[in-house]
């Protein structure tokens, strides 16, 4: 439901007159996130929540743009495409921007590079549009336990009807072999499944390749981006602490000044009382 809400928000409210997600203005991103947080109780101050939401927004935005590009490519000329705006594009200005961008030389170069990169994929998952984590949780709900990393890989890349993607089967065989080789006679594993997957599949952007957003490499492989986010969060907390300390110091200085003034007034009051007592005694004597 949360993933669907992100998709709905991007399709209906994200600005389309930009070349890519990174060019969406910060205030527009904040507005999109606000639409999510008004419906779901999530804490965007947590680094991993912030990372997931931003990554999901970027992925959905890219997929939506690809859908619009495929619609654009149905027409033989830019002019013909301009006259046939996609139903999910809200304004003519945004569609005109997209048509101009899709027909530009810069976009054609980028598109060609992306096509080449996709052709280099060695294996393809069989999970469809549902996320890996959704599949895993569904199986866990049915079986009562979460699968290990190697079993999860088999689930995502082996089709019941069509069998294995050959590239994935080769990697799975390597992981099973490595697990056997690193298991002692008493059953103790010197490498757990997550470590084996990270070793065989590799790590990219802090995640194990081919395993979706969820599985992370062992703690020793903590990504630079995660450390940067933690450092940035600590810096924010330190700045807030320093600001609070400055405020307390300023308030204390005001209180000290008020105490000095009160003391001076009390001393003046005592002197006045002494003067009045002396004056009254003199008047009584005369």
């Amino acid at each position: 439901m949360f993933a669907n809400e992100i998709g709905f928000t991007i399709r209906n409210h994200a600005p389309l007159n930009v070349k890519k997600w990174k060019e969406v203005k910060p205030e527009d991103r904040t507005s999109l996130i606000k639409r999510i947080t008004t419906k779901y109780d999530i804490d965007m101050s947590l680094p991993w929540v912030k990372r997931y939401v931003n990554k999901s927004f970027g992925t959905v935005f890219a997929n939506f743009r690809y859908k619009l590009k495929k619609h654009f490519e149905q027409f033989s000329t830019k002019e013909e495409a301009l006259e046939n705006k996609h139903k999910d594009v809200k304004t003519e200005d945004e569609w005109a921007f997209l048509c101009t961008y899709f027909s530009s030389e810069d976009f054609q170069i980028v598109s060609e590079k992306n096509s080449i990169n996709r052709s280099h994929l060695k294996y393809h998952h069989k999970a469809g549009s549902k996320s890996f984590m959704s599949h895993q949780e569904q199986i866990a709900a049915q079986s009562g336990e979460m699968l290990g990393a190697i079993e999860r890989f088999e689930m995502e890349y082996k089709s019941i009807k069509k069998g294995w993607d050959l590239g994935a089967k080769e990697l799975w065989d390597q992981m099973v072999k490595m697990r056997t080789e690193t298991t002692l006679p008493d059953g103790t594993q010197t490498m757990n499944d997550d470590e084996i997957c990270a070793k065989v599949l590799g790590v990219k952007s802090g995640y194990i390749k081919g395993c979706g957003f969820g599985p992370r490499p062992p703690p020793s492989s903590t990504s630079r981006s995660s450390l940067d986010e933690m450092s940035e969060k600590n810096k924010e907390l330190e700045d807030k602490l320093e600001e609070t300390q400055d405020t307390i110091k300023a308030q204390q200085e005001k209180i000290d000044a008020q105490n000095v003034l009160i003391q001076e007034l009390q001393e003046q009051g005592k002197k006045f009382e002494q003067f009045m007592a002396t004056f009254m005694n003199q008047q009584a004597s005369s």
Side-chain angles (χ1 to χ4, degrees):
M1 291 175 63
F2 184 67
N4 289 339
E5 188 66 33
I6 289 178
F8 175 84
T9 300
I10 288 294
R11 290 190 299 273
N12 289 275
H13 302 290
L16 297 176
N17 55 344
V18 293
K19 295 180 179 180
K20 51 188 176 181
W21 172 250
K22 289 183 178 180
E23 293 184 4
V24 176
K25 296 179 181 178
E27 56 267 29
D28 290 331
R29 294 192 190 192
T30 300
S31 178
L32 293 171
I33 291 174
K34 187 175 181 180
R35 290 180 179 276
I36 297 292
T37 54
T38 55
K39 295 183 179 181
Y40 290 86
D41 183 16
I42 57 175
D43 187 354
M44 288 297 293
S45 68
L46 299 174
W48 53 90
V49 175
K50 180 180 178 181
R51 182 173 60 248
Y52 171 78
V53 172
N54 286 327
K55 182 177 177 65
S56 297
F57 271 142
T59 300
V60 172
F61 185 84
N63 291 339
F64 182 42
R65 290 290 289 267
Y66 180 74
K67 176 182 177 181
L68 299 178
K69 182 180 82 75
K70 299 300 290 185
H71 177 77
F72 169 82
E73 291 175 345
Q74 293 178 7
F75 307 100
S76 56
T77 65
K78 173 186 172 182
E79 289 69 26
E80 185 180 358
L82 283 168
E83 296 175 357
N84 293 273
K85 180 175 71 68
H86 191 282
K87 60 182 179 63
D88 289 336
V89 178
K90 297 298 184 292
T91 68
E92 295 290 346
D93 287 343
E94 286 185 326
W95 181 241
F97 175 90
L98 290 173
C99 289
T100 300
Y101 179 53
F102 291 153
S103 59
S104 68
E105 182 179 354
D106 289 344
F107 179 80
Q108 297 302 322
I109 294 174
V110 173
S111 182
E112 179 65 21
K113 288 182 179 179
N114 290 337
S115 296
I116 294 174
N117 290 336
R118 283 193 295 272
S119 69
H120 290 164
L121 287 175
K122 297 180 180 179
Y123 50 93
H124 304 269
H125 69 79
K126 311 291 184 179
S129 59
K130 185 180 288 188
S131 71
F132 287 5
M133 289 303 295
S134 296
H135 276 284
Q136 294 165 24
E137 290 178 359
Q138 182 179 358
I139 291 177
Q142 295 171 351
S143 64
E145 60 180 357
M146 288 292 286
L147 296 176
I150 297 176
E151 282 69 29
R152 291 199 301 267
F153 184 87
E154 179 181 7
M155 176 194 70
E156 301 297 348
Y157 290 91
K158 182 181 179 182
S159 170
I160 297 176
K161 295 181 179 180
K162 298 181 180 180
W164 277 99
D165 179 298
L166 293 180
K169 178 63 164 60
E170 181 181 348
L171 294 170
W172 183 79
D173 286 340
Q174 291 181 32
M175 289 187 284
V176 172
K177 181 181 178 182
M178 185 175 293
R179 180 166 61 183
T180 301
E181 293 173 346
T182 57
T183 301
L184 301 177
D186 63 356
T188 303
Q189 286 185 255
T190 58
M191 288 182 68
N192 62 38
D193 284 5
D194 287 336
E195 292 171 332
I196 292 172
C197 283
K199 181 73 173 179
V200 174
L201 301 176
V203 175
K204 180 180 180 181
S205 300
Y207 288 89
I208 301 173
K209 290 182 178 179
C211 293
F213 192 86
R216 301 298 297 270
S220 60
S221 302
T222 302
S223 66
R224 181 71 256 172
S225 60
S226 298
L227 293 176
D228 290 342
E229 287 184 10
M230 293 172 63
S231 177
E232 182 180 350
K233 188 65 178 178
N234 289 337
K235 181 64 168 57
E236 291 177 1
L237 293 174
E238 290 174 359
D239 291 342
K240 289 182 180 179
L241 177 60
E242 184 177 351
E243 182 180 346
T244 302
Q245 290 174 336
D246 290 341
T247 301
I248 293 174
K249 182 179 179 180
Q251 291 175 342
Q252 186 62 50
E253 290 176 350
K254 289 182 179 180
I255 293 173
D256 292 342
Q258 290 174 348
N259 288 336
V260 171
L261 178 60
I262 291 172
Q263 186 175 359
E264 291 177 352
L265 291 174
Q266 289 175 340
E267 291 177 354
Q268 291 178 3
K270 290 180 180 180
K271 291 180 180 180
F272 180 75
E273 289 177 356
Q274 293 174 354
F275 169 78
M276 289 301 298
T278 301
F279 177 77
M280 293 301 293
N281 289 334
Q282 291 176 348
Q283 289 292 324
S285 300
S286 61

